[in-house]
């Protein structure tokens, strides 16, 4: 069976739109676990545009599955992760102006820095994965850092169509084989949705997928009916 990590960042995006305390990504995470999520993923961005430090601490306390903290490779974030001690951490590249994580982490050009961060967190019992593009050089560099796992960036596959998508799928399957052959655990994520996930989920070396936006987007749509009914009933009670 493949594990599903549910990323609840965009519940926090909705909360931050009003700067109040609902909807609570931690409450969403607990419901996701109840529904079968094998883990909860949150990205504490340096610009704090969605998830806040409070969310990560509370999630760590209340989650009954496992918490995967996505983070940039910075001294401040490594120190934060050491204090929260999530089960897993995933190093991602971060640019302030991006809409979402745009590409994999370039491990090749910063091996020493990444290795040091990996060693610090894994020394505290946190399993580290590196979010990388499906490229052999990045996989080999990831292996050299001593990281437990890689998460293959599936964004290019998701954005492609037709033969280009088949090519991206081949690249991901090949990368998963190479990584597993080197002893790395293999995860995948970014851009996966109800239409494109199956071919990725069938790659035997991939043991975990982290999916966020499509699940939260669907939750908003399938939840509208109940939310409107509840408000309508309340109003009808005030003035039958
Ligand atoms: N994996 C990583 C490393 C990510 O940065 C993200 C986005 O935060 C995801 C998975 C989830 O991507 P999406 O929201 O497109 O499902």
């Amino acid at each position: 069976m493949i594990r599903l990590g549910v990323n609840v960042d965009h519940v926090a995006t909705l909360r931050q739109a009003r700067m109040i305390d609902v909807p609570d990504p931690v409450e969403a995470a607990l419901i996701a676990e109840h529904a079968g999520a094998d883990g909860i993923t949150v990205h504490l961005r340096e610009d704090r545009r969605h998830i806040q430090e409070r969310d990560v601490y509370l999630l760590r306390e209340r989650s009954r599955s496992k918490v995967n903290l996505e983070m940039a490779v910075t001294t401040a974030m490594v120190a934060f992760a050491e204090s929260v001690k999530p089960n897993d951490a995933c190093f991602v590249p971060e640019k302030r102006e991006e809409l979402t994580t745009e590409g994999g982490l370039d491990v090749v050009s910063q091996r020493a820095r990444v290795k040091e961060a990996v060693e610090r967190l894994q020394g505290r019992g946190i399993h580290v994965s590196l979010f990388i593009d499906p490229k052999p050089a990045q996989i080999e560099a990831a292996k050299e850092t001593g990281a437990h796992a890689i998460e293959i960036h599936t964004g290019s596959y998701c954005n492609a169509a037709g033969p280009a998508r088949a090519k991206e799928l081949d690249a991901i399957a090949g990368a998963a084989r190479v990584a597993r052959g080197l002893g790395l655990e293999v995860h995948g994520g970014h851009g996966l949705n109800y239409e494109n996930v199956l071919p990725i989920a069938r790659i035997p070396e991939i043991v975990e997928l982290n999916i966020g936006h499509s699940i939260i987007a669907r939750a908003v749509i399938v939840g509208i009916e109940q939310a409107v009914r509840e408000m309508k009933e309340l109003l009808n009670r005030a003035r039958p």
Side-chain angles (χ1 to χ4, degrees):
M1 219 178 55
I2 191 161
R3 299 194 298 263
L4 170 63
V6 175
N7 179 317
V8 294
D9 289 354
H10 296 303
V11 177
T13 302
L14 203 53
R15 176 189 62 189
Q16 298 310 108
R18 284 289 170 93
M19 294 290 189
I20 51 175
D21 57 4
V22 291
D24 185 348
V26 178
E27 190 181 350
L30 300 182
I31 296 170
E33 288 180 337
H34 186 69
D38 302 292
I40 302 297
T41 295
V42 286
H43 183 177
L44 182 68
R45 292 182 59 95
E46 289 186 286
D47 60 16
R48 304 294 193 266
R49 72 166 70 143
H50 39 53
I51 293 295
Q52 308 295 309
E53 295 183 20
R54 163 266 184 209
D55 302 328
V56 192
Y57 279 113
L58 199 58
L59 189 59
R60 183 73 186 95
E61 209 179 289
R62 307 223 15 220
S63 163
R64 279 168 283 116
S65 61
K66 69 183 179 105
V67 176
N68 175 31
L69 175 63
E70 292 176 3
M71 53 188 274
V73 193
T74 63
T75 311
M77 280 308 306
V78 168
F80 176 76
E82 284 180 312
S83 82
V84 183
K85 293 204 188 66
N87 307 82
D88 299 346
C90 179
F91 284 125
V92 300
E94 220 174 88
K95 283 187 238 137
R96 278 176 195 268
E97 66 281 12
E98 69 194 355
L99 274 181
T100 179
T101 314
E102 282 166 356
L105 184 69
D106 185 2
V107 187
V108 172
S109 71
Q110 45 179 342
R111 280 169 218 249
R113 205 162 79 86
V114 176
K115 186 169 195 284
E116 193 191 327
V118 167
E119 283 171 356
R120 269 187 63 178
L121 295 192
Q122 293 198 155
R124 298 289 179 111
I126 301 165
H127 277 150
V128 177
S129 72
L130 305 180
F131 183 56
I132 57 173
D133 291 326
K135 296 193 174 135
Q138 296 295 347
I139 297 166
E140 278 154 30
K143 173 68 187 171
E144 271 179 39
T145 68
H148 173 76
I150 58 163
E151 177 167 324
I152 300 177
H153 191 317
T154 52
S156 301
Y157 157 81
C158 296
N159 291 334
R165 180 178 275 192
K167 219 172 124 198
E168 295 291 346
L169 182 63
D170 276 353
I172 293 171
R177 257 194 316 275
V178 170
R180 192 63 211 128
L182 291 172
L184 289 157
E185 190 173 291
V186 187
H187 308 165
H190 210 282
L192 295 171
N193 61 32
Y194 297 84
E195 175 266 323
N196 62 28
V197 74
L198 281 185
I200 297 289
R202 289 195 185 106
I203 296 172
E205 291 84 3
I206 296 184
V207 296
E208 176 177 311
L209 293 177
N210 286 300
I211 306 180
H213 188 272
S214 63
I215 293 178
I216 304 307
R218 175 125 182 94
V220 170
I221 296 301
V222 301
I224 291 261
E225 187 171 334
Q226 185 178 340
V228 172
R229 271 186 212 290
E230 285 177 12
M231 183 57 81
K232 194 69 188 156
E233 275 168 25
L234 201 59
L235 298 182
N236 287 345
R237 226 188 292 160
R239 283 221 233 140

